[in-house]
Amino acid sequence: MNQTKPQAWSPDPATREILDELRGELGACMQCGTCTASCPNGFAMDVTPRQMWRMVQFGMLDRILESRTFWMCSSCYMCTLRCPRGLKLTRAMGALKRLARERGTWKVRRNSAFYDAFMDNVEKYGRVQETSLMPGYFLKSRDPLLPLHYLPLGVRMMRAGKLHVPDGSRKGRLKALFAKVREMEDRS
Amino acid sequence: MKYAYYPGCSLQESAHEFDVSVRAVMDRLGVELVEIPDWTCCGASAAEPVSRLMNYALPARNLALAEKELAGLDVLAPCSACYLNLLKVNREVVGDKSLHGQVNEALDACGLAYGGGVRVRHILDVLVNDVGVEAIGAVVGQNLNGMRVAPYYGCQILRPYEVFDDPRKPLSMDNVLTAMGAKIHPWEMGARCCGASLMVTHPEVAMHSVEAILGAAEGADAIATVCPLCQMNLEAYQHDSAAGGHHVPVLYLTQLLGLAFGLEEPAVLLEKNMSLNGSMRAGIRARAWRHEPPGGTEEAGGT
Ligand code: SF4
Ligand code: SF4
């Protein structure tokens, strides 16, 4: 989905909705930088959390989507705990991930492959089955080297008896719920 | 004391030792656990980036089941990630009319509805506030003999909601450990993030956190955890040079409790801990949880 660059303010309704949610949440940010100073993963971000909130306030969609910042968020809630304005910043990082998925930029596939594989696994089995989750992730990431990276860990886990054959007894239990939520989200 | 038990997916899988030790320890403490019938995944940290509504509907399904099948019981979740996801439903959905309506409309697809009346508890909360450290101490009797333990709280039981501990200076696990006769390893890393699922999506970034935590734990006999993801991240990469080459056993608090209660190693599945090799196990056993009269525990050196 690599068309021409999206215009800053001509987003589709789904993108619009997430952006509105974000701007509503972040309107009160006073740019103090406490969030940035609290973030354990800040060193790996190209835009600091404080700058990111500014970009959201200004609706700089292109700049937001170019950034890797929100993919570096490990949902530790440190910024949320410390923000003097009490803003729900971790949730905002989650919403930014959804925003990027809506826009489907090139970085998205690699970054969201694990979340997608996880949700597919939940939808199929009802309870996450780790042994089939990782192969699902490898497929989605389309990175042929990824399985090799996990091989040593897989071996150690196997030795410790931590890998189990998938339990299919709850297969399909969440099918109706997933279908319903999809329908509701398409409607909005 | 009786709770609606939500083990969560990890405890049925790679963190089986957490489930087994929770059940064994609670049984010893006279706490009854009734598993929520037909529970399903809470969405972990994967639902939020994918779907806002699913992020609430998945945990809400389990609360709805508990409300219907096990009315009046608090839900007990040992996994910190499950705990926060379930708690979020009470904090963010209940009270928000439109969102609550949407969640129940979704749940209706599986014949359920959540009224909002189930209290969500983490195992540490139950241990400290319902069972009580005195009662734990009375059963254990200082059996950890000065074993030096680094209490690792992680994120989700402390943040974003302040429920049963001070998020800036947590003490609940320290108190349980002290009641067992353990010594607290002084460190600043108890509330630092382990990297969570960033360890899968960007391991090169998450490894920094793991390195910092393990480095600060040097000198401790073990790190105690209450979350399967923290446990996995802290122990599974100790062989990786990027994690700094620190070797520290990582045990679930409930495994330590079980051993201190005098349960045998297989009863708390100690063989499943990847950070424990045979000699470490013997070393710790020799000075920390032997049940003969103590003596000379202080001078025993590192592993
Ligand atoms: S801590 Fe809060 S107010 Fe300060 S910059 Fe960050 S979001 Fe804005
Ligand atoms: S929640 Fe995310 S953005 Fe906030 S401090 Fe933690 S890692 Fe950084």
Side-chain angles (χ1 to χ4, degrees):
Chain A
M1 290 234 272
N2 240 338
Q3 320 112 332
T4 48
K5 279 201 142 197
Q7 288 299 300
W9 279 115
S10 56
D12 54 281
T15 307
R16 178 99 226 170
E17 194 190 315
I18 301 173
L19 262 176
D20 284 350
E21 175 197 331
L22 278 164
R23 296 180 95 196
E25 179 66 46
L26 298 166
C29 169
M30 57 180 184
Q31 293 287 299
C32 71
T34 306
C35 48
T36 300
S38 310
C39 183
N41 306 316
F43 71 93
M45 295 172 173
D46 51 357
V47 168
T48 68
R50 178 188 64 79
Q51 291 166 333
M52 180 57 75
W53 314 139
R54 185 57 122 208
M55 281 155 53
V56 169
Q57 284 174 337
F58 289 157
M60 299 156 79
L61 191 55
D62 295 359
R63 297 269 311 273
I64 294 169
L65 292 174
E66 271 164 23
S67 168
R68 71 200 300 256
T69 287
F70 39 90
W71 296 116
M72 297 300 129
C73 172
S74 58
S75 300
C76 78
Y77 293 94
M78 202 55 106
C79 52
T80 303
L81 176 72
R82 292 194 179 150
C83 172
R85 284 286 159 95
L87 307 180
K88 303 258 193 307
L89 302 175
T90 311
R91 194 160 77 189
M93 287 292 184
L96 285 167
K97 287 177 186 165
R98 289 204 306 278
L99 183 80
R101 288 166 50 87
E102 284 297 334
R103 305 295 288 196
T105 55
W106 65 269
K107 278 178 263 175
V108 172
R109 193 201 307 135
R110 169 167 187 255
N111 277 300
S112 72
F114 179 67
Y115 306 122
D116 289 322
F118 192 101
M119 292 303 277
D120 284 357
N121 201 279
V122 173
E123 180 168 5
K124 181 166 175 202
Y125 290 106
R127 296 178 186 173
V128 173
Q129 303 298 318
E130 291 167 358
T131 356
S132 65
L133 169 61
M134 292 317 276
Y137 168 46
F138 299 154
L139 277 176
K140 287 215 184 271
S141 81
R142 299 200 208 162
D143 174 355
L145 295 178
L146 198 58
L148 287 178
H149 178 79
Y150 281 95
L151 194 60
L153 175 60
V155 170
R156 283 201 298 282
M157 287 181 69
M158 197 128 71
R159 276 207 214 109
K162 281 178 174 285
L163 297 181
H164 309 113
V165 179
D167 166 12
S169 62
R170 260 160 219 85
K171 246 187 191 168
R173 187 70 92 256
L174 294 176
K175 230 186 169 52
L177 181 63
F178 272 84
K180 180 73 192 177
V181 168
R182 273 195 198 105
E183 178 213 306
M184 289 172 70
E185 286 182 337
D186 287 345
R187 214 197 296 150
S188 69
Chain B
M1 273 172 273
K2 192 170 168 181
Y3 300 88
Y5 184 49
Y6 182 77
C9 303
S10 299
L11 276 75
Q12 311 283 295
E13 294 265 314
S14 55
H16 189 45
E17 66 272 31
F18 197 15
D19 184 46
V20 166
S21 57
V22 164
R23 290 178 194 263
V25 162
M26 288 316 210
D27 184 54
R28 265 303 164 94
L29 291 168
V31 175
E32 195 185 336
L33 301 179
V34 188
E35 193 165 327
I36 299 173
D38 202 39
W39 61 266
T40 43
C41 179
C42 73
S45 59
E48 188 168 46
V50 175
S51 157
R52 175 167 180 263
L53 187 50
M54 213 47 171
N55 183 36
Y56 295 119
L58 282 174
R61 179 183 182 275
N62 298 298
L63 293 178
L65 279 171
E67 196 171 50
K68 184 171 156 211
E69 311 279 347
L70 301 167
L73 298 186
D74 290 357
V75 166
L76 187 157
C79 166
S80 303
C82 299
Y83 162 77
L84 179 57
N85 276 358
L86 296 168
L87 182 65
K88 260 188 198 164
V89 175
N90 286 345
R91 298 295 181 110
E92 296 178 19
V93 176
V94 179
D96 178 334
K97 261 211 169 125
S98 121
L99 186 56
H100 198 164
Q102 285 174 31
V103 168
N104 274 339
E105 185 185 340
L107 289 182
D108 191 48
C110 35
L112 291 164
Y114 180 50
V118 181
R119 194 171 166 206
V120 176
R121 314 285 302 276
H122 186 258
I123 184 150
L124 200 47
D125 179 12
V126 167
L127 282 172
V128 174
N129 292 314
D130 293 8
V131 177
V133 284
E134 298 78 19
I136 294 171
V139 181
V140 182
Q142 300 283 303
N143 263 341
L144 284 193
N145 289 333
M147 179 181 185
R148 196 171 155 130
V149 183
Y152 183 73
Y153 295 83
C155 304
Q156 292 139 319
I157 56 174
L158 301 174
R159 304 182 293 268
Y161 302 113
E162 182 170 350
V163 178
F164 62 90
D165 210 336
D166 180 349
R168 286 162 193 88
K169 209 180 176 329
L171 274 177
S172 52
M173 204 188 322
D174 294 51
N175 293 339
V176 174
L177 288 166
T178 313
M180 290 193 270
K183 277 215 178 67
I184 304 300
H185 174 72
W187 71 336
E188 300 293 318
M189 289 289 162
R192 164 83 186 245
C193 179
C194 72
S197 57
L198 197 61
M199 187 55 100
V200 180
T201 57
H202 290 278
E204 72 287 358
V205 179
M207 212 61 99
H208 284 262
S209 295
V210 168
E211 199 277 323
I213 295 163
L214 293 178
E218 288 270 5
D221 293 317
I223 297 173
T225 59
V226 284
C227 170
L229 194 50
C230 302
Q231 164 83 14
M232 176 66 92
N233 281 359
L234 292 185
E235 78 165 5
Y237 303 92
Q238 292 192 9
H239 297 253
D240 197 318
S241 57
H246 312 285
H247 292 288
V248 192
V250 188
L251 297 172
Y252 288 105
L253 178 68
T254 44
Q255 288 182 301
L256 281 170
L257 271 166
L259 293 164
F261 286 169
L263 297 178
E264 295 302 323
E265 289 176 30
V268 293
L269 300 185
L270 218 55
E271 75 275 8
K272 298 235 180 228
N273 292 72
M274 295 188 286
S275 54
L276 275 183
N277 58 32
S279 66
M280 262 177 183
R281 226 151 57 198
I284 298 176
R285 188 194 309 125
R287 64 181 195 285
W289 55 70
R290 61 153 168 249
H291 301 293
E292 309 89 54
T297 50
E298 291 301 304
E299 63 274 16
T303 43

